[in-house]
Amino acid sequence: MIRKLQQKLIVVAMGSLLLVLLLILGTVNILNYRGVVMEADHVLTILTENGGTFPKEYLLQKKEYLSGKTTELPYTSRFFSVRLDADGTVLFVNTEKTTTVDDAAAADYAARAMDRGDERGFLEEFRFMRREEENETTLLVFLDCAKGLSTATRFLLTSLGISAGGLAAVFLLLLLLSKRIIKPVSESYEKQKRFITDAGHELKTPLTIISADADVLEMQHGTNEWLQDIRLQTRRLAELTNELIYLSKMEEEQGRLQVSLFSLSELAEELVQSFQTLARAQNKIFTSRVQPGLSIRGDERAVGQLLSILLDNALKYSQPEGEISLTLERRGRFAHLAVYNTTAQPISKETLHSLFDRFYRGDPSRSSQTGGYGIGLSIAKAVVTAHKGEITAASRDGRSLTISADLPL
């Protein structure tokens, strides 16, 4: 449990940091790219409004043209323009302000831009803008944005590299410090488990003495309702103590199971036969479907306890003359165990989420009849977790319950 808590802490922290970094990087780089596009569109607007060239210096210095730019704009901009007639025939090409594109290449760029049908956009490293003029001609101006795009790309790669390095550093720090962060929780959890185990062992002695004293009193004075009640409550308390000790041991000794290779199919068949008699005595329909030949490596006693808990739980909480079924089959690399039963009371989603909690009972009013302590499914979960499996609870219609456990084959 503590290891899972540590892993969850690292995953949540790294996930949160990654989300924040992606949001920041995305926003900054999008704004950076938009800045390149807006600057290019501003220059293209000046060029298209002036026939594919920059206006004279005194016109360029007008506020609506410069917008904070310097008068060096005509000398730092590399562009070319193409004029087409209504049929798409090239009328004029101006490549004086660029050395990387000749007239033929410029005409090809213009044809590709016309095929796209967009008023503005990118063709490779060139940003273009199209303007329909009054004499039914089309002016296309292409601005070389290689420098701006290259700067934006370098900024993106640099920010990604720095962020990746920061993530790696935070990950290493979390690996080193996460144990210290969860140390109070770990210590509290260990004390809780130790208290349960120690208290359970300490309770065994007085319970044994009480039971023995009840036997002596019965021999001296004969049986009566008070002695019977003492025996009943002593037995119930002893059962609860044993279950708590077993649960604590399963959680403490997940890595120290008595592991062996055994037939899960044969174990399931044996327990099915045992519970068939109980089901018939309670007028309940019990069916089973066990795929033969399924073997797992694990603690046979613990897995037997798992099967007994699930079948006992199904019998206790199924409705009178209800249906119970056990299914065991292979699903990929797992042995899939499912125990189904109809229920006397409706099952809500909140109940499903709490079924594996300690001392939880979905129907507290019937606890005295069933004799349950609300700890059986907690033990079942501990057994499955110790075998690196997964256990879940589901209800198809709110009037039935299916407990499913997947154990690695």
Side-chain angles (χ1 to χ4, degrees):
M1 177 180 175
I2 299 302
R3 183 177 297 177
K4 285 188 175 180
L5 181 61
Q6 182 182 2
Q7 292 172 351
K8 285 182 180 180
L9 173 65
I10 293 174
V11 169
V12 170
M14 293 300 297
S16 301
L17 179 59
L18 179 61
L19 184 62
V20 172
L21 281 177
L22 287 176
L23 183 62
I24 294 174
L25 289 178
T27 302
V28 171
N29 282 279
I30 288 173
L31 291 176
N32 190 28
Y33 177 77
R34 282 177 57 86
V36 174
V37 172
M38 291 176 65
E39 183 175 356
D41 286 348
H42 176 72
V43 175
L44 287 169
T45 300
I46 298 175
L47 292 171
T48 54
E49 288 180 354
N50 293 275
T53 60
F54 281 105
K56 294 181 179 181
E57 186 174 346
Y58 73 92
L59 291 175
L60 185 62
Q61 290 176 350
K62 291 170 61 178
K63 183 178 180 181
E64 61 267 22
Y65 272 163
L66 279 179
S67 299
K69 310 295 183 207
T70 67
T71 53
E72 296 293 321
L73 191 60
Y75 307 103
T76 57
S77 302
R78 300 170 59 192
F79 62 92
F80 63 91
S81 60
V82 180
R83 190 182 299 276
L84 308 171
D85 63 13
D87 297 328
T89 304
V90 176
L91 300 177
F92 178 77
V93 176
N94 182 3
T95 57
E96 293 180 357
K97 295 297 183 178
T98 181
T99 59
T100 59
V101 178
D102 57 19
D103 291 356
D108 180 64
Y109 276 111
R112 288 162 60 188
M114 291 297 292
D115 290 339
R116 284 179 50 172
D118 299 329
E119 291 187 1
R120 64 187 66 189
F122 275 102
L123 280 175
E124 299 171 5
E125 71 272 19
F126 292 101
R127 179 78 174 172
F128 72 87
M129 183 176 290
R130 187 178 71 181
R131 178 185 176 88
E132 303 293 338
E133 300 191 331
E134 296 179 357
N135 55 0
E136 296 186 356
T137 60
T138 301
L139 177 64
L140 285 162
V141 181
F142 294 81
L143 181 67
D144 189 345
C145 298
K147 184 178 180 181
L149 293 175
S150 177
T151 302
T153 302
R154 283 198 303 271
F155 181 81
L156 172 63
L157 294 177
T158 302
S159 59
L160 287 175
I162 293 174
S163 299
L167 281 172
V170 172
F171 179 71
L172 291 175
L173 287 173
L174 283 173
L175 282 179
L176 295 173
L177 300 177
S178 57
K179 289 184 179 180
R180 291 187 179 182
I181 294 173
I182 65 172
K183 186 177 181 180
V185 179
S186 175
E187 291 178 349
S188 175
Y189 183 69
E190 292 300 325
K191 288 178 181 178
Q192 176 189 355
K193 290 194 299 183
R194 192 159 51 247
F195 170 77
I196 292 174
T197 304
D198 295 344
H201 286 298
E202 291 296 327
L203 283 172
K204 281 187 174 182
T205 300
L207 288 173
T208 303
I209 295 173
I210 292 172
S211 181
D213 289 346
D215 292 338
V216 172
L217 288 172
E218 185 177 359
M219 287 188 293
Q220 292 178 351
H221 304 286
T223 184
N224 56 59
E225 59 181 306
W226 294 283
L227 286 175
Q228 291 177 353
D229 187 54
I230 290 173
R231 286 183 178 280
L232 174 62
Q233 299 305 325
T234 303
R235 185 169 60 252
R236 284 173 56 85
L237 187 56
E239 291 175 356
L240 175 59
T241 302
N242 290 331
E243 288 187 357
L244 284 171
I245 293 173
Y246 184 80
L247 175 60
S248 181
K249 285 184 176 180
M250 286 302 304
E251 291 179 340
E252 286 179 358
E253 301 177 2
Q254 288 186 9
R256 300 189 295 274
L257 298 174
Q258 301 296 319
V259 177
S260 63
L261 183 65
F262 66 93
S263 173
L264 181 60
S265 299
E266 293 180 3
L267 180 62
E269 289 285 7
E270 291 175 5
L271 288 168
V272 164
Q273 292 177 6
S274 300
F275 279 90
Q276 282 280 12
T277 305
L278 293 173
R280 281 196 296 267
Q282 298 177 24
N283 294 320
K284 296 178 180 180
I285 302 171
F286 185 15
T287 59
S288 63
R289 181 167 57 86
V290 177
Q291 181 178 337
L294 296 181
S295 298
I296 66 171
R297 186 174 294 277
D299 190 322
E300 186 173 2
R301 178 175 171 272
V303 175
Q305 181 83 346
L306 165 68
L307 289 166
S308 297
I309 288 171
L310 296 184
L311 290 173
D312 184 62
N313 191 74
L315 278 172
K316 283 180 179 178
Y317 296 103
S318 59
Q319 62 185 17
E321 300 182 357
E323 297 179 8
I324 302 164
S325 68
L326 179 143
T327 302
L328 178 64
E329 60 186 1
R330 182 190 185 103
R331 287 192 180 178
R333 299 182 297 105
F334 293 90
H336 178 74
L337 171 69
V339 177
Y340 164 89
N341 67 276
T342 54
T343 58
Q345 299 293 331
I347 295 181
S348 63
K349 291 183 178 180
E350 291 75 13
T351 299
L352 292 175
H353 291 311
S354 305
L355 279 178
F356 300 105
D357 295 342
R358 294 184 185 182
F359 303 109
Y360 178 83
R361 282 191 288 254
D363 186 10
S365 63
R366 298 183 61 225
S367 60
S368 59
Q369 301 173 19
T370 61
Y373 308 105
I375 202 171
L377 289 179
S378 299
I379 296 176
K381 182 178 180 180
V383 171
V384 174
T385 302
H387 286 81
K388 300 186 183 339
E390 184 177 358
I391 188 168
T392 56
S395 179
R396 294 179 299 189
D397 50 13
R399 303 290 302 191
S400 63
L401 176 65
T402 302
I403 305 292
S404 301
D406 292 312
L407 298 172
L409 290 169

